[in-house]
Amino acid sequence: MSGVASRSSMERRLLCSLFLAAALFGVASAATRRHDWDISYQFTSPDCVRKLAVTINGHTPGPTIRAVQGDTIVVRVKNSLLTENVAIHWHGIRQIGTPWADGTEGVTQCPILPGDTFAYTFVVDRPGTYMYHAHYGMQRSAGLNGMIVVEVAPGAAGDGEREPFRYDGEHTVLLNDWWHRSTYEQAAGLASVPMVWVGEPQSLLINGRGRFVNCSSSPAMAASCNVSHPDCAPAVFAVVPGKTYRFRIASVTSLSALNFEIEGHEMTVVEADGHYVKPFVVKNLNIYSGETYSVLITADQDPNRNYWLASNVVSRKPATPTGTAVLAYYGGRRNSPRARPPTPPPAGPAWNDTAYRVRQSLATVAHPAHAVPPPPTSDRTILLLNTQNKIGGQIKWALNNVSFTLPHTPYLVAMKRGLLGAFDQRPPPETYAGAAAFDVYAVQGNPNATTSDAPYRLRFGSVVDVVLQNANMLAANSSETHPWHLHGHDFWVLGHGAGRFDPAVHPAAYNLRDPIMKNTVAVHPFGWTALRFRADNPGVWAFHCHIEAHFFMGMGIVFEEGVERVGELPPEIMGCGKTRGGH
């Protein structure tokens, strides 16, 4: 629900700087768009099975935030969960000048306590397709998520800012995976000895709707599953024959890498994570958790029938049925808009065809008219080895043998207030032991690791390379895809490769001509991914695997840059850890 709300002291303080920021972005007439959200548990049936979900104003997914480049967004969040904290991350929004609004509990703010209200206020400075989701515990898995669409500002910066493609209409597509067990059960299982894995999702959802196929598997399941419930009616996307449509696609999955297809229609990829892509045509699109894409399709098929939208699991052996929605042709003489397509849903490519997925990653480069060349060299290289490890009998994920833990006092608050005892002051490792000869295909000989909450301190304005190195897990012949998301920045994707990264060889093949800029990128099984970014956004920023369970188990780090340049912190972000009682 949008509406005019009274401005809090924090809003008044922030809006002055935000309006100035909007002016710097070259936007002549930016608007302030206000939303009031009540976060609560509600019974829903997104895949026909009744379950408690975390909702926004009673719904999951939440409302799509629509804005124009340069607008200020104000979202007043009331936490009505009663027994659970909340924080919401605005995924892909860089939070320039407002690092405390990033919505990352333990990094940029204390969580919103039950019964409390917190106003997130920030500028959307770049057009594109983005998302929002919970960033507290594993609440993203429970339904607290939605999309953000930012339009190009009219006359923002002349013709150079116009989108390099045309279309007649658009649709938003939010992809998700869904479990019937609560996030409490999942988190307890991950922390147990022996570990109880979350398992494969029961359903795949498109715009919050799916269909669980085993409703009659037990009397209890049959009692809670209602295949005629309106919550699980398939999403319908209407098209008119001959028209071209932009599909804005976002994956907010908690575990699954997906392959998305629109039956019978080629898709032209034109945007990734808010940046224009050199157009290329695909039959289906591989999309990893935290990524967004825009594709164009033309409604040029037989208008007397409908077609499937389908999402299928890739990179993990599937145990979840295809997620489906309907592409409905309007104008066909013998077609009903809600008619079930006459064909089986597309099954997608082979789930373990890693080479196919790497080729699509390599094909995603910047549009020639919108390419931003990266700095030719970096000032610092951080090589991070992803491994599965054990600590005190618990299975954890680690980077360079260190499993990440969040401090009780948010980094941003601790650093601005000089609370040096709030986190580990020792610098974390920038490479890993035996990097020159490490066998990424073998089970490592020493699975033990340590924990730390030490941040990586970056010189403000410096250029940083990060190389993500994937390796074998604790079980033989096993390696997974990890989608890595960087808060507060976009980075250049310089390259992907198979096997062990060699710093003496592979940088020579980096794409420095037209690399795509993104905020989320996959590192493929037994491979490496190299990225480059400029540390020019004052604040403290999380960098982590976007698989919910993996971040929970330690697969992440934190960067600090220019904290001394951050303005006065709003007192509303404090109240936990060493700031308890210090509002």
Side-chain angles (χ1 to χ4, degrees), residues 405-485:
T405 58
L406 278 169
H408 294 297
T409 307
Y411 292 99
L412 184 62
V413 177
M415 291 179 183
K416 286 295 290 182
R417 291 199 157 195
L419 304 174
L420 299 182
F423 56 86
D424 192 345
Q425 297 294 311
R426 294 170 296 180
E430 307 217 351
T431 187
Y432 57 96
F438 191 88
D439 184 356
V440 300
Y441 297 100
V443 177
Q444 57 179 321
N446 177 18
N448 296 314
T450 59
T451 61
S452 176
D453 56 11
Y456 286 79
R457 305 264 193 165
L458 307 178
R459 179 172 57 83
F460 187 74
S462 63
V463 177
V464 180
D465 280 3
V466 177
V467 180
L468 298 162
Q469 175 68 70
N470 215 342
N472 199 89
M473 297 162 59
L474 290 176
N477 303 312
S478 60
S479 184
E480 296 185 351
T481 301
H482 301 289
W484 276 78
H485 171 55

Side-chain angles (χ1 to χ4, degrees), residues 501-509:
F501 175 80
D502 188 339
V505 175
H506 291 129

Side-chain angles (χ1 to χ4, degrees), residues 510-559:
Y510 282 171
N511 177 12
L512 300 178
R513 182 173 60 88
D514 60 353
I516 190 64
M517 296 189 77
K518 296 182 96 271
N519 60 64
T520 304
V521 70
V523 55
H524 296 285
F526 299 111
W528 56 267
T529 297
L531 55 95
R532 178 171 294 172
F533 70 97
R534 195 182 295 277
D536 58 359
N537 190 7
V540 187
W541 308 106
F543 181 47
H544 61 93
C545 178
H546 210 255
I547 292 174
E548 194 85 312
H550 289 182
F551 186 41
F552 180 85
M553 297 165 69
M555 193 185 291
I557 60 173
V558 163
F559 293 121

Side-chain angles (χ1 to χ4, degrees), residues 114-442:
D116 281 1
T117 298
F118 179 84
Y120 289 99
T121 306
F122 54 90
V123 167
V124 287
D125 66 288
R126 193 183 63 252
T129 307
Y130 309 102
M131 70 182 82
Y132 61 84
H133 56 77
H135 219 293
Y136 178 82
M138 295 178 65
Q139 285 175 347
R140 175 159 57 94
S141 296
L144 205 174
N145 50 65
M147 293 188 69
I148 304 172
V149 173
V150 182
E151 302 285 354
V152 175
D159 292 345
E161 287 299 312
R162 292 179 181 171
E163 294 175 319
F165 45 85
R166 295 287 182 268
Y167 51 95
D168 302 302
E170 75 171 42
H171 293 289
T172 56
V173 181
L174 185 64
L175 304 176
N176 201 2
D177 43 14
W178 192 248
W179 284 259
H180 295 159
R181 284 197 301 161
S182 72
T183 55
Y184 287 114
E185 293 175 281
Q186 293 185 38
L190 293 174
S192 298
V193 179
M195 181 185 73
V196 180
W197 176 239
V198 298
E200 299 304 307
Q202 276 69 62
S203 303
L204 299 178
L205 308 182
I206 298 179
N207 283 5
R209 296 166 179 265
R211 177 65 63 89
F212 181 58
V213 299
N214 294 320
C215 276
S216 59
S217 58
S218 69
M221 181 57 67
S224 65
C225 189
N226 177 6
V227 295
S228 63
H229 198 290
D231 282 0
C232 60
V236 176
F237 299 85
V239 296
V240 174
K243 300 292 186 179
T244 297
Y245 293 86
R246 178 182 189 169
F247 279 73
R248 297 179 182 265
I249 308 163
S251 173
V252 74
T253 56
S254 295
L255 172 66
S256 309
L258 298 176
N259 181 271
F260 176 78
E261 183 171 343
I262 301 178
E263 181 191 13
H265 296 73
E266 289 185 332
M267 297 184 290
T268 302
V269 181
V270 294
E271 179 216 351
D273 288 1
H275 292 275
Y276 301 129
V277 170
K278 182 179 180 180
F280 65 99
V281 177
V282 295
K283 177 185 177 184
N284 45 55
L285 176 73
N286 298 303
I287 181 167
Y288 307 97
S289 178
E291 289 190 317
T292 64
Y293 287 92
S294 284
V295 301
L296 302 182
I297 74 158
T298 299
D300 55 4
Q301 298 301 299
D302 179 2
N304 294 304
R305 56 156 293 187
N306 292 334
Y307 300 83
W308 292 111
L309 280 73
S311 66
N312 286 284
V313 172
V314 290
S315 188
R316 302 179 64 85
K317 188 173 183 179
T320 311
T322 301
T324 57
V326 175
L327 185 75
Y329 268 72
Y330 276 65
R333 291 171 296 174
R334 302 185 303 276
N335 190 45
S336 167
R338 291 191 174 274
R340 182 181 177 90
T343 48
W351 69 270
N352 56 354
D353 190 349
T354 301
Y356 168 73
R357 292 184 288 109
V358 171
R359 287 195 300 271
Q360 202 166 96
S361 293
L362 293 171
T364 308
V365 297
H367 190 284
H370 296 267
V372 179
T377 59
S378 67
D379 302 304
R380 181 176 179 180
T381 297
I382 300 173
L383 177 57
L384 297 174
L385 174 68
N386 283 350
T387 54
Q388 198 175 45
N389 298 75
K390 288 186 177 181
I391 300 176
Q394 291 182 314
I395 295 179
K396 296 286 188 179
W397 286 96
L399 285 310
N400 296 348
N401 228 42
V402 177
S403 186
F404 178 70
T405 58
L406 278 169
H408 294 297
T409 307
Y411 292 99
L412 184 62
V413 177
M415 291 179 183
K416 286 295 290 182
R417 291 199 157 195
L419 304 174
L420 299 182
F423 56 86
D424 192 345
Q425 297 294 311
R426 294 170 296 180
E430 307 217 351
T431 187
Y432 57 96
F438 191 88
D439 184 356
V440 300
Y441 297 100

